[in-house]
Amino acid sequence: MAEFANIIVDISLEKLDRTFQYRIPERLREVLAPGMQVRVPFGSRSVTGYVMELTDTAEYDISRIREIKSVVQNSVAIEGQLIALAAWMRKQYGGTMNQALKTVLPVKAAKRAVEQKTVRLAVPDVEAKNQLGTYQRKHNVARARLLEALLEQGELEWHVITHKLNVSGSVVKALEEAGLVQIVSRRNYRNPVAHLEKKEYRLTLNDAQQRVVDTVMEDYDRQIYRTYLLKGVTGSGKTEVYMELIARVVSKGRQAVVLIPEIALTYQTVMRFYNRFGDKVSIINSRLSAGEKFDQFERAKAGKLSVVIGPRSALFVPFPNLGLIIIDEEHETSYKSENTPRYHARETAVERARMAHASVVLGSATPSVEAYYRAKAGEYRLLTLDKRVGERRLPVCEVVDLRDEFRAGNRSILSRRLTALIEERLLKGQQTMLFINRRGIAGFVSCRACGHVIKCPHCDVSLSQHTGGRMICHYCGYEEPERAVCPSCGSRYIGGFRAGTEKIEMMVKSRFPSARVLRMDMDTTRKKDSYEAILSAFANQEADILIGTQMIVKGHDFPHVTLVGILAADMSLHVSDYHAAERTFQLLTQAAGRAGRGILPGEVVIQTYDPLHYSIVTACGQDYEAFYRQEIAYRTIMSYPPVWNMLVICCAAKEEQTAAAGAMQLAEKTRAFGEAAGGLYLIGPADASIAKLKDLYRKVIYLKHEKYQVLVAIKDRLEHYIREHGIFANMNVQFDFNPMNIG
Ligand code: ADP
Ligand code: ZN
Ligand code: ZN
């Protein structure tokens, strides 16, 4: 039984920066838990506060520590639950209490909810359709898009029009002046999509979908709340399953959170949820201001919402009776926070669900190795959908060996086979997507003649090239000079592999001068909403070929795409990260899944220097099981997560010397702490893969241990050590458990 409790006396944001310590009276020692509301003496007053954590370590002179008076709320209310979650996150992932609390509690804003505007048609449908035809002929794209959406939906919320449809306010005003639409203002928050009855649709789930829903709901009705992993191929109807589950949970008076990577949170996806759940659903995304976001949280707390959709941070919506958490595209790396506390939304969702007695459904066509490992171990329950809806077949895939192309004298980025298939599509008026794998652009060095990649002799990860040509291993610091010839075949065509989307666009245009080409990458999507605009232009068949990075892999259905070309499949294979094969498999499988989503069957061409690599072979065969078997064998041999656990300690400082010396000192301490536990691997300190970032020098230490909690204990002791000795005042230390990106 802990003797002391650290308490925050007010949860307004300015006051979060510290806790006060109180002694737990004997009679409360059995019952007190994090998140409970208590009454404590504060100066001459008595105030309420929340228990943040229980501890045996006194922070002050014991004689000065006062006692908790009483428990205000025996059960943990919603704020308390989030505070308890923050305490858990701080423990699991490191960092300060303040950082953890700011992650889970929304920022209060002075700004009040503004009036809501919606837009609806002011003329009969027939007339609107006529006008739509005129706009389309005149290529008034924005006007046409607005009319089309209004014909479909009846009424739309202003911000849906400007944010999701990419139609500017001036266009709406122009249509209002023309008497075509009417702008309606309301004081209260209203339904973004008014005529739901009209649009109400209900698909009948197929047998496989129904079986998944039944399995989850049978448990649920028996109050068995657990975590499910829904492994369903692309287009197998996972989203419909989510919606059915949500409808069931909501009908029981509980609420649901749906996490979707921001990039997949497109107009299409949002509309599906709107059409089913109407004004009970809301969205959170990074475009909302702090005030808007806070309002959504308030509405959720007041019981005005039943479903919130959003990226990672939507997990902390203060629903009073949360019953279900869905995480779509569970394998996405964006579910891991890059800020302290570096939490993973999957693990944190499972913990939040445990506190709230809720279920969790993780969905993916290509589950993370981590989640699948847990499912196999029985920790998650595995559910599968292995067929596409409506007899649609998975695409046919072939691999092209780029070394053969090189030998045949083809120096183009497009293989002969892919070129021929694109030509065929252009003749048939079908669409092509060219996917350029840009993950792992971080300068690995390979041979164009034989595909050989320069690797670290100690760690089996590729070396990265730094300025001046030095090649470095980011795991162990091994270094070697630049090579002039390939050590494997002697060719002089060796170097860093880089090819930008822009360059590819130029090459494609000159090869197929008649084709209409769209490009999507960081450059073309920098402007607000251009992402959505490019996708809808392509969906409307305004182009024949779409070239893009991993951005094009998500979000939209393109029924006329019958060919997907993957230009440099290997890029992600050679990043210095043990996830390389997993990411490659996921990217290739998801990209391939873009082909043949309509009635026409699809074809996929994967261009690679490494046609026999298991991630490429299994992605081509869409064979997850085979991939997993080989991948988990590799992780086992190398003691990588999820078989073992990993903790990366990153030390950053202005002076390289400070970072190096500090990291060395921490490594020694860690080694000493680890000795007690036994079985600890410590590698480093070494330069981080980005050795200098924002003027800070970065050193990393890698720890591996079979048990996660041993690493947590080491983190606790290091945090304590750092706090005790003010010696690291000039150095920032960050902890990252089972990192998504190494270094
Ligand atoms: P996933 O999320 O697995 O990619 P979706 O739920 O988006 O799959 O479904 C793919 C397509 O099939 C969508 O257009 C969806 O409307 C349709 N669909 C899903 N389930 C059914 C069903 N039971 N009957 C008819 N169409 C369905
Ligand atoms: Zn190495
Ligand atoms: Zn070679």
Side-chain angles (χ1 to χ4, degrees), residues 460-477:
D460 197 39
V461 294
S462 44
L463 299 179
S464 343
Q465 191 156 40
H466 281 230
T467 38
R470 282 188 318 150
M471 291 189 293
I472 298 174
C473 170
H474 291 301
Y475 276 21
C476 71

Side-chain angles (χ1 to χ4, degrees), residues 203-206 209 232-242 272 328 389 392 557 597:
L203 295 169
T204 314
L205 296 185
N206 63 33
Q209 288 170 315
V233 295
T234 47
S236 59
K238 294 186 290 299
T239 310
E240 292 300 325
V241 167
Y242 303 151
R272 282 174 83 177
D328 191 29
V389 170
R392 256 156 237 165
D557 255 353
R597 302 271 284 199

Side-chain angles (χ1 to χ4, degrees), residues 549-588:
T549 55
Q550 30 274 5
M551 284 179 160
I552 64 175
V553 175
K554 299 255 138 50
H556 257 257
D557 255 353
F558 301 109
H560 302 286
V561 170
T562 59
L563 175 63
V564 169
I566 296 164
L567 297 185
D570 315 31
M571 296 271 269
S572 53
L573 212 47
H574 303 304
V575 295
S576 351
D577 188 324
Y578 69 85
H579 297 97
E582 178 177 2
R583 301 272 185 272
T584 304
F585 176 81
Q586 284 162 350
L587 275 171
L588 299 189

Side-chain angles (χ1 to χ4, degrees), residues 446-452 485-491 493-494:
S446 69
C447 169
R448 283 205 74 185
C450 78
H452 181 83
V485 297
C486 171
S488 176
C489 76
S491 161
Y493 282 89
I494 186 159

Side-chain angles (χ1 to χ4, degrees), residues 427-652:
L427 284 176
K428 286 193 199 156
Q430 297 172 3
Q431 290 179 301
T432 299
M433 284 171 94
L434 294 180
F435 170 68
I436 159 96
N437 183 356
R438 289 205 45 173
R439 238 193 246 282
I441 193 85
F444 71 88
V445 173
S446 69
C447 169
R448 283 205 74 185
C450 78
H452 181 83
V453 174
I454 313 281
K455 288 188 166 184
C456 171
H458 311 294
C459 306
D460 197 39
V461 294
S462 44
L463 299 179
S464 343
Q465 191 156 40
H466 281 230
T467 38
R470 282 188 318 150
M471 291 189 293
I472 298 174
C473 170
H474 291 301
Y475 276 21
C476 71
Y478 170 84
E479 215 182 294
E480 62 177 54
E482 187 173 16
R483 306 254 184 162
V485 297
C486 171
S488 176
C489 76
S491 161
R492 281 193 280 129
Y493 282 89
I494 186 159
F497 189 110
R498 283 165 216 271
T501 33
E502 206 176 337
K503 195 161 146 221
I504 290 166
E505 184 189 17
M506 270 160 51
M507 285 153 87
V508 169
K509 276 183 172 160
S510 70
R511 181 67 188 73
F512 306 104
S514 69
R516 296 166 302 163
V517 180
L518 277 175
R519 169 166 67 96
M520 184 147 104
D521 56 19
M522 285 307 233
D523 289 335
T524 59
T525 55
R526 196 158 290 146
K527 246 178 60 205
K528 199 172 158 194
D529 298 330
S530 43
Y531 171 71
E532 189 80 42
I534 295 173
L535 289 180
S536 26
F538 191 60
N540 296 336
Q541 288 184 278
E542 287 164 32
D544 305 302
I545 301 174
L546 174 63
I547 300 169
T549 55
Q550 30 274 5
M551 284 179 160
I552 64 175
V553 175
K554 299 255 138 50
H556 257 257
D557 255 353
F558 301 109
H560 302 286
V561 170
T562 59
L563 175 63
V564 169
I566 296 164
L567 297 185
D570 315 31
M571 296 271 269
S572 53
L573 212 47
H574 303 304
V575 295
S576 351
D577 188 324
Y578 69 85
H579 297 97
E582 178 177 2
R583 301 272 185 272
T584 304
F585 176 81
Q586 284 162 350
L587 275 171
L588 299 189
T589 311
Q590 302 267 348
R594 302 269 83 199
R597 302 271 284 199
I599 304 150
L600 302 164
E603 256 180 295
V604 180
V605 174
I606 299 180
Q607 302 190 157
T608 175
Y609 286 103
D610 202 352
L612 296 181
H613 191 282
Y614 65 93
S615 66
I616 288 173
V617 174
T618 55
C620 191
Q622 305 261 317
D623 189 348
Y624 182 89
E625 289 296 327
F627 165 75
Y628 178 81
R629 268 198 309 277
Q630 303 196 50
E631 183 62 15
I632 205 73
Y634 162 73
R635 305 274 180 103
T636 308
I637 291 167
M638 301 297 286
S639 305
Y640 281 134
V643 183
W644 274 41
N645 289 280
M646 195 162 183
L647 169 59
V648 178
I649 307 170
C650 182
C651 305

